[in-house]
Amino acid sequence: MYESGIQTLDRSYSLLRRVIKAGQHGLSISELTDATGLSTATVYRLVRALKDLGLVRQPLSRGPVYPGPELLSWSELTRAALDKVAHMHLLDMAENLGDSFFLMIPDGFHVLCLDIADGQHPARSYTRQKGDRIPFGVGQASIAILSFMSKQEQTHILDHNEAPFLRAKGITRGLVQEAIANCRHLEVTCGVEGTDPPEFTGVAVPVFGKNQTPIAALSCCLRRSRLSDEHYERLTKSLLASARAISHNLFDPVENTR
């Protein structure tokens, strides 16, 4: 009975991970069957049990399976904890470095601003206030998060955002992919330069969860005239140190992030 229980738990966890990763797109029963290697009958049984627990939802009886309300409530708790832990780091950087600092999280095909702290030289480009949503591929924070997603996730997001968002701002897919490659190497990005706003620039770094999964980005915005080599060095060091401290505080200890 013990071994049977562990096997059921392992299978449920494997299925649940795939549903969470698919997010708002959902997965059909056949897709879950193919992805897990389980029989259709077993997948149906596990989905039914997870639905009863509120961990997944299936609006149509034979339609796609999505993350359930219990998972959404857990994500809200994680978001609140992230916001609380990051807030003091944003304030410290704003006070010590003088620029504007942002906490951004993935939100579908966009990144969402959770928090902002302004220093003596406040600046705004794409993000004006808390709650603003910026398409992935636009702005340095979105590149910092996108860079450490899987290739499949990157392709799916860029396929969706290329025509309505990126081209409109003069951003090509090639430039985004180049920025991703650089960010994966350096763990720091200045994003992709588009047609606007020309007077501003910025720097961003990812915040990692377990297994180097990007859960957020810390970024700053400043006027180009302020971004000397010395100031860039101070910004990157401070952002990286803050991002790693946040990860360590939340996950204690986090997987090695270089």
Side-chain angles (χ1 to χ4, degrees), residues 47-145:
V47 166
R48 185 166 59 249
L50 292 171
K51 282 168 62 178
D52 291 342
L53 294 170
L55 296 175
V56 301
R57 60 187 179 88
Q58 191 180 24
L60 302 176
S61 60
R62 295 186 178 275
V65 179
Y66 304 93
E70 284 297 321
L71 287 177
L72 296 177
S73 67
W74 292 352
S75 67
E76 286 299 320
L77 290 173
T78 302
R79 178 183 293 188
L82 173 62
D83 195 7
K84 182 177 180 180
V85 170
H87 184 67
M88 293 307 300
H89 288 276
L90 296 183
L91 290 177
D92 287 344
M93 288 188 290
E95 181 178 354
N96 293 329
L97 298 167
D99 303 303
S100 294
F101 291 85
F102 305 79
L103 172 65
M104 312 290 288
I105 62 169
D107 185 35
F109 294 107
H110 295 69
V111 291
L112 171 71
C113 178
L114 277 190
D115 198 8
I116 302 174
D118 289 320
Q120 294 179 348
H121 306 280
R124 296 287 188 275
S125 55
Y126 298 117
T127 304
R128 299 288 178 176
Q129 59 189 359
K130 294 181 186 179
D132 280 357
R133 297 170 74 244
I134 312 301
F136 267 112
V138 177
Q140 63 272 10
S142 78
I143 296 294
I145 297 172

